[in-house]
Amino acid sequence: MIEETKNILDEIQTIIQQKPFDYGTAKDLIDGLDLEKAPIELEGILLDCINNEDNDARVFAYEYLYNFDSEAVFQAALLGTVDDDDLVQMCAIEILGNLAKIESLPFLEKALKANDPHVRCFAAESIGFIDTDEAKVILEKRLDKETDSFAKVGIYSSLYSLGEEEMLSNIIVLLDDSYHLTIIRSLRVLEDCINQANKEMIKSSIENLLERDIPISVKDAAEIVLEKIKRE
């Protein structure tokens, strides 16, 4: 390990041990590392941090454990799905989606019933990466009960990725939702769905959205997707 990397890791470990945890400084330090070649020592530091009493420290740990794929990280992510902090749960759920192991399905199914609809959305999206009939059944059952539009984005997008193409129209309908984050997440999903068969329908829907009085954040997200469609 080069000296510069060792110094960064030592500083991160020191910050993690301090109270309160300084998320900003820790993030600046870790961003100085090449996370595509993340040193195994970093994984150990982050794993030691998942039981930290500071919520921000645990969020930090799970956010960057995403870069590792060991069994220890998988087990840590399973544990994170039942953390008291919603952000920790979402970061842990994203790890499980990235690893896409069928063994995580019971934990993700439980997360589909979380109080926070954002957690439910993330859980649905991660289930979609586990390409099995069981995953599809879990999502379909939850869809019958789900009432929150943001959570529905995750269910619709995953069922679409699992072969239910009719879900695309459901995602487009959410562009008319009253919750701006639902619209923005729907736009991001649509961006990933674009192909030659559906791009005109998506393009038309986004153009209609831009004609309405919408928040700047929604407008910016819509224009990004529209520009991508025009380039393809």
Side-chain angles (χ1 to χ4, degrees):
M1 188 193 316
I2 63 175
E3 189 66 23
E4 181 181 0
T5 298
K6 183 181 184 304
N7 291 338
I8 291 175
L9 294 175
D10 287 345
E11 288 187 63
I12 291 172
Q13 193 158 28
T14 298
I15 290 171
I16 286 175
Q17 294 169 351
Q18 295 174 347
K19 295 181 181 180
F21 174 72
D22 188 343
Y23 179 93
T25 300
K27 184 179 186 305
D28 288 343
L29 284 168
I30 207 168
D31 287 346
L33 298 171
D34 181 359
L35 291 178
E36 292 186 358
K37 300 177 181 178
I40 193 66
E41 290 83 1
L42 176 60
E43 178 183 353
I45 292 170
L46 296 173
L47 285 171
D48 287 342
C49 188
I50 66 170
N51 294 315
N52 196 299
E53 294 180 358
D54 191 304
N55 290 355
D56 287 342
R58 298 200 308 281
V59 170
F60 173 81
Y62 278 105
E63 181 179 356
Y64 288 98
L65 281 171
Y66 185 90
N67 296 280
F68 300 91
D69 60 2
S70 69
E71 178 63 22
V73 169
F74 176 64
Q75 294 299 325
L78 295 180
L79 181 65
T81 63
V82 293
D83 195 274
D84 292 335
D85 187 88
D86 293 338
L87 286 177
V88 171
Q89 289 184 49
M90 286 186 278
C91 290
I93 287 168
E94 282 193 308
I95 293 173
L96 295 180
N98 186 44
L99 298 176
K101 293 188 177 184
I102 194 170
E103 294 87 352
S104 65
L105 273 179
F107 295 83
L108 294 172
E109 183 175 13
K110 184 176 180 180
L112 275 180
K113 303 171 186 176
N115 291 330
D116 190 328
H118 295 79
V119 173
R120 300 201 300 273
C121 177
F122 276 54
E125 290 177 348
S126 288
I127 289 172
F129 289 110
I130 303 170
D131 192 359
T132 65
D133 290 339
E134 183 182 0
K136 186 181 289 189
V137 168
I138 289 171
L139 291 168
E140 289 172 340
K141 285 183 178 178
R142 182 60 204 177
L143 183 57
D144 290 337
K145 301 176 182 179
E146 186 56 68
T147 58
D148 185 88
S149 64
F150 192 89
K152 284 181 179 180
V153 179
I155 299 175
Y156 290 157
S157 63
S158 285
L159 286 174
Y160 177 80
S161 70
L162 292 172
E164 298 191 15
E165 295 186 3
E166 66 274 15
M167 290 295 155
L168 183 65
S169 60
N170 291 348
I171 300 169
I172 289 175
V173 167
L174 290 178
L175 296 181
D176 293 325
D177 198 77
S178 59
Y179 184 37
H180 70 288
L181 292 182
T182 291
I183 301 174
I184 291 171
R185 198 156 193 91
S186 298
L187 286 164
R188 290 174 180 168
V189 170
L190 291 172
E191 182 178 5
D192 292 335
C193 293
I194 297 169
N195 57 42
Q196 291 302 312
N198 64 31
K199 74 174 187 177
E200 287 303 320
M201 178 172 64
I202 294 176
K203 177 174 177 288
S204 175
S205 300
I206 294 175
E207 288 173 340
N208 290 338
L209 171 64
L210 287 168
E211 291 177 357
R212 296 177 4 221
D213 183 16
I214 54 178
I216 293 296
S217 57
V218 173
K219 181 176 181 292
D220 290 344
E223 288 178 341
I224 289 171
V225 182
L226 190 59
E227 182 60 32
K228 178 178 179 179
I229 295 173
K230 291 177 178 178
R231 289 197 308 266
E232 294 185 353

